Amino acid sequence: MKERINKILHALNENLFEREEIVQLALLTTISGESIFLLGLPGVAKSLIARRIKEIFKDGNSFEYLMNRFSTPDEIFGPIAISKLKKYDTYERITEKYLPTADIVFLDEIWKAGPSIQNSLLTVINEKVYRNGQQEIEIPLKGLISASNELPAKGEGLEALWDRFIIRYLVKNISDPNKFNAFLSTENIGFNANIDEKDKITNADYKKWQKSISKVKISDEALNVINVIRNYIIKYNEKKDTKKPIYVSDRRWKKIVKVLKTSAFLNDRKVIDLMDCFLIAHTIWDEVEQISIVKEFVSDAIKNHGYSLKYNLSMFTNEINDLKLDIDNQTKESKRITYYEPKSIKIGNAIYYEIVDNGNLQDRNYRRQINYLRKSAFDTLNKSTYKQITLYDKNGEESYNNRFEAFSKEPNTITIREYDSWNRNNTGTKYDLISNRKNKTEITTKIPHKAIISEWNKQVNSVINEINKTIKEIETFKKKDLASLKENIFVNKKLALLAEHNLNQTINSFASEKLKVEKLKKEYDAL
C-alpha cells in the first residue's frame, strides 16, 4: 500500500515545486472521503492540483466549476429535465457530467455560491447523497476540493459549509529561489498526472479501503494528544486577549480521526501513531493568524505528552513516595520543644533588643536608663570573650558617658560589664533579654529493626528493576518503532524528532525516580 501511494504521489508532484505537502493532503483527504479547502491568491496551482487528483481513480469522472455571485444550481447539479417536467410533472435534473456523477469535484471561489447551492453542498459533502426531485440518490463523490483567495465572510450563514472542509491549507507562492528558477525553466507543466494504470484506484479498491480504514484503531497516545490539544484550545479561548476563538465541533473531531485513520492505513499500519497526529494542525484553524498557534498546540502536545500514557511514571512515583513515608515513620521521631527568642523592637530605623534591668544600666551623667542594644551588635557578640558595645535609651539615644562590653552564651541572655582598662577582672552581670516564647519540632533519628530494613531492600530492588526494565523497553522502542515514524508519507520526517524528544524526556524522568529510590536506600543504610 505504502509503495503504491508513494508512486501515485511521485506522479502527482511531477514538475510541481514546493507543492509536495498540499498534494499529499489532497490525496489523503480524497481517499478518506473528506473535503479540503485551499486558501491562496490566483496562480498558485490550486486548480492544477485538483485536476491532477482526479487522475488517481481508474475511469474516474471529475467536475469543476468557478463560482460567482450569479451561479445557479443548474450549473452545478445539472439542468432541469424539461421533458420529464412536461410529460410527468416531475421536477428532476439531468445530472450526467455534473457534480452528482463525479468522483472528484473542484469548486473554485466556493464562498461566492448562493444559499441554494450551499444547502445542497452540505448534504452532498456530509452524507454523499443528492436529492433529485422526489428521490435521494447516492453519489460516487470521493473528494471535494474547494478553493478561494478569501475565507468565508462572517454573518452570511457560511459557518456550516466551512465546518465540512476537514483539511484547510494556505497555499503560497514558491519561496525557494532555486525552485522558482527551476519552475521558470520547466516547459509544459500539464494538468494531467502520468499515473501507471496498475497503480490507479478502482471503485472496488476504494470501497474495500473504506472498510479497512474504519477498522484502524486509535492508540492511547493519539487519544491523549487529542485531549491535550482540546484543553489547549479551551485555555486559549478563555484568555481575555483572545479576539477570535478556535471552535472545533465534536463532529469535526470525528472527521479528523477518520483522516488520521486513513493516514495510518495508507502507511501500512492498523493503529494511529503520533506522526499521524501532526496532521491535526491542518484541521483546527479558522483564521490565518491561528495557523501558527494550532501548530504550536499540536507540536507541544506530541513533544511533551506523546508517550506519557504508554510509559506511566505515576505508579513508580506513588510507590517511592509510600516507601519514603514508611522510612520516615520508622527512622525519625519528632519532639516538640519550647524555647525563647529575643523580642525585636523597632526604634527609628534600627532594630533593638530590650535588656531586663533593675536600674543598674544607667547613664552616668543624665541618670537615664540605657537598657537597649541594637540587634546587629548582639548578633556579633562572642560566647565567652568580651566585646565593646553601645547601649541606648528607650528613644534610641546613645550613651556617650558610659563604655560597656559584653558577651552572650545563650540566644536570650547577655553578660555586661562597664569597660575599665585598669581592672579587667570584673566578671560582669548577666541579664535576660525580653523574649517571646516559641515552639519548634525537633527531629531525632532512630534505628529500625533489621527485618524492616530487609523489607525495604526488597521494595527498593523491585522498583529499581522495574524502572530499568521500562527504560530498556523505551530504548528498544526508540531503535525499532521510532524509525517507522520517520517514514510517514504525509508528514515531514523531521517532526519525528519531537516525538523522540518526549521519549528522551520520559527516560530522564524514570532515571530521576531511580535516583530518588537509590538516595532513600543510602539514607537508611547510613543509620
Side-chain angles (χ1 to χ4, degrees):
M1 176 63 68
K2 197 171 185 179
E3 184 181 352
R4 182 178 178 183
I5 296 300
N6 266 321
K7 287 180 181 178
I8 293 173
L9 284 171
H10 180 76
L12 291 173
N13 277 302
E14 187 178 2
N15 290 334
L16 294 183
F17 303 90
E18 290 187 0
R19 296 294 177 263
E20 294 83 3
E21 187 173 47
I22 182 177
V23 168
Q24 291 164 356
L25 293 174
L27 174 66
L28 174 64
T29 311
T30 300
I31 295 177
S32 67
E34 299 300 336
S35 304
I36 183 172
F37 171 73
L38 308 179
L39 174 65
L41 294 172
V44 289
K46 300 190 297 293
S47 59
L48 186 149
I49 290 167
R51 290 181 186 180
R52 285 194 178 185
I53 288 292
K54 73 178 182 181
E55 302 286 334
I56 69 174
F57 293 104
K58 196 166 190 175
D59 303 322
N61 296 317
S62 66
F63 174 80
E64 64 177 87
Y65 196 78
L66 175 62
M67 297 284 196
N68 60 67
R69 293 293 179 189
F70 305 103
S71 296
T72 64
D74 292 14
E75 298 166 73
I76 309 300
F77 303 105
I80 302 298
I82 302 297
S83 58
K84 285 191 176 182
L85 186 61
K86 287 181 177 179
K87 191 173 183 179
Y88 303 109
D89 197 24
T90 302
Y91 188 90
E92 287 185 9
R93 296 185 183 277
I94 302 170
T95 58
E96 191 65 31
K97 294 187 179 181
Y98 287 88
L99 187 149
T101 59
D103 296 277
I104 296 292
V105 172
F106 175 58
L107 298 177
D108 204 359
E109 295 303 329
I110 180 78
W111 311 123
K112 289 183 170 62
S116 57
I117 296 175
Q118 291 172 22
N119 291 334
S120 296
L121 284 176
L122 287 174
T123 309
V124 163
I125 296 172
N126 206 44
E127 301 174 29
K128 301 293 190 298
V129 295
Y130 174 67
R131 187 171 184 82
N132 192 12
Q134 298 298 316
Q135 57 179 340
E136 276 192 351
I137 56 173
E138 286 191 18
I139 62 175
L141 180 66
K142 297 172 177 66
L144 189 148
I145 302 171
S146 67
S148 179
N149 56 15
E150 60 186 359
L151 290 172
K154 304 295 181 184
E156 293 190 11
L158 296 169
E159 291 81 9
L161 184 58
W162 170 238
D163 192 55
R164 296 304 195 276
F165 294 103
I166 304 305
I167 297 285
R168 298 159 178 179
Y169 194 87
L170 177 62
V171 190
K172 299 179 181 179
N173 283 310
I174 300 169
S175 60
D176 185 281
N178 294 325
K179 291 180 180 178
F180 179 71
N181 292 339
F183 163 72
L184 294 179
S185 304
T186 302
E187 298 291 335
N188 302 320
I189 301 176
F191 281 91
N192 296 325
N194 298 315
I195 301 172
D196 196 310
E197 286 296 315
K198 70 177 188 301
D199 292 324
K200 287 188 176 183
I201 304 166
T202 65
N203 280 328
D205 288 333
Y206 184 79
K207 289 178 181 178
K208 183 180 178 182
W209 291 1
Q210 295 306 305
K211 291 180 180 178
S212 298
I213 289 168
S214 67
K215 294 177 183 177
V216 172
K217 303 296 182 185
I218 313 173
S219 65
D220 290 338
E221 296 82 58
L223 285 172
N224 188 42
V225 163
I226 289 171
N227 280 287
V228 169
I229 293 169
R230 286 187 74 204
N231 288 331
Y232 284 168
I233 292 172
I234 291 169
K235 290 178 181 178
Y236 172 79
N237 291 342
E238 288 174 348
K239 287 182 179 179
K240 291 182 179 179
D241 57 345
T242 299
K243 295 178 181 178
K244 296 179 179 179
I246 298 169
Y247 175 69
V248 187
S249 66
D250 291 345
R251 175 183 62 205
R252 186 168 189 80
W253 278 116
K254 190 77 172 174
K255 297 280 189 181
I256 291 169
V257 167
K258 187 181 179 186
V259 172
L260 304 189
K261 285 185 173 185
T262 306
S263 173
F265 171 72
L266 296 178
N267 277 286
D268 290 325
R269 282 183 280 105
K270 296 181 179 179
V271 180
I272 295 172
D273 68 11
L274 290 182
M275 286 299 277
D276 299 320
C277 293
F278 280 108
L279 296 166
I280 296 172
H282 300 294
T283 67
I284 57 176
W285 59 268
D286 292 314
E287 305 287 343
V288 172
E289 54 265 35
Q290 294 171 349
I291 294 175
S292 59
I293 294 170
V294 299
K295 278 186 177 179
E296 187 177 340
F297 287 170
V298 174
S299 297
D300 186 82
I302 294 171
K303 180 180 178 181
N304 296 315
H305 304 279
Y307 293 105
S308 58
L309 287 182
K310 184 178 180 70
Y311 303 107
N312 195 345
L313 189 64
S314 62
M315 179 181 70
F316 295 107
T317 303
N318 293 338
E319 192 171 348
I320 293 168
N321 288 340
D322 289 344
L323 177 61
K324 185 180 185 307
L325 184 63
D326 188 35
I327 291 171
D328 286 345
N329 289 336
Q330 296 289 347
T331 61
K332 295 176 182 178
E333 200 168 45
S334 60
K335 186 185 294 183
R336 192 173 177 82
I337 296 173
T338 300
Y339 68 100
Y340 293 87
E341 186 179 87
K343 181 180 179 181
S344 296
I345 301 168
K346 188 173 184 181
I347 303 174
N349 294 323
I351 302 297
Y352 295 82
Y353 288 154
E354 184 179 354
I355 302 166
V356 179
D357 174 40
N358 295 322
N360 293 329
L361 301 173
Q362 295 282 331
D363 186 293
R364 187 179 295 123
N365 291 345
Y366 296 100
R367 307 303 298 172
R368 56 179 176 153
Q369 195 168 11
I370 46 173
N371 61 325
Y372 288 84
L373 174 69
R374 282 187 175 174
K375 177 182 181 299
S376 56
F378 180 82
D379 291 341
T380 63
L381 292 179
N382 297 317
K383 288 189 176 182
S384 58
T385 306
Y386 279 102
K387 182 180 178 182
Q388 284 195 40
I389 61 168
T390 301
L391 295 179
Y392 301 80
D393 66 10
K394 63 181 180 180
N395 297 315
E397 294 291 332
E398 182 179 342
S399 171
Y400 296 101
N401 301 305
N402 302 66
R403 295 173 68 191
F404 296 97
E405 54 185 5
F407 68 86
S408 176
K409 284 186 177 181
E410 300 164 351
N412 60 332
T413 66
I414 185 170
T415 300
I416 303 175
R417 71 181 182 185
E418 196 160 351
Y419 178 74
D420 187 346
S421 60
W422 298 101
N423 180 17
R424 309 299 290 171
N425 296 321
N426 184 359
T427 56
T429 304
K430 184 177 180 181
Y431 297 90
D432 291 328
L433 301 179
I434 291 181
S435 303
N436 292 323
R437 178 176 173 171
K438 293 194 172 184
N439 297 308
K440 68 177 181 180
T441 302
E442 192 174 82
I443 305 296
T444 57
T445 305
K446 59 180 181 178
I447 301 173
H449 193 277
K450 289 182 179 180
I452 294 174
I453 294 176
S454 176
E455 190 59 35
W456 289 344
N457 286 335
K458 288 179 184 177
Q459 284 182 260
V460 166
N461 291 334
S462 173
V463 171
I464 289 175
N465 288 338
E466 285 299 316
I467 289 178
N468 286 337
K469 182 180 174 183
T470 305
I471 291 175
K472 188 176 180 180
E473 184 183 330
I474 298 172
E475 294 286 3
T476 303
F477 177 83
K478 273 182 65 178
K479 290 176 183 177
K480 183 182 176 183
D481 297 82
L482 194 61
S484 69
L485 294 183
K486 298 177 182 178
E487 297 171 1
N488 192 302
I489 54 180
F490 301 108
V491 182
N492 190 324
K493 65 181 181 181
K494 291 180 181 178
L495 293 175
L497 294 174
L498 294 177
E500 187 175 6
H501 172 86
N502 185 243
L503 285 176
N504 292 333
Q505 202 175 47
T506 304
I507 290 173
N508 291 337
S509 297
F510 276 94
S512 177
E513 292 302 303
K514 181 182 173 182
L515 287 175
K516 281 183 187 178
V517 77
E518 287 174 341
K519 184 181 176 183
L520 284 178
K521 188 176 189 316
K522 284 182 180 178
E523 287 176 358
Y524 71 72
D525 281 346
L527 297 175

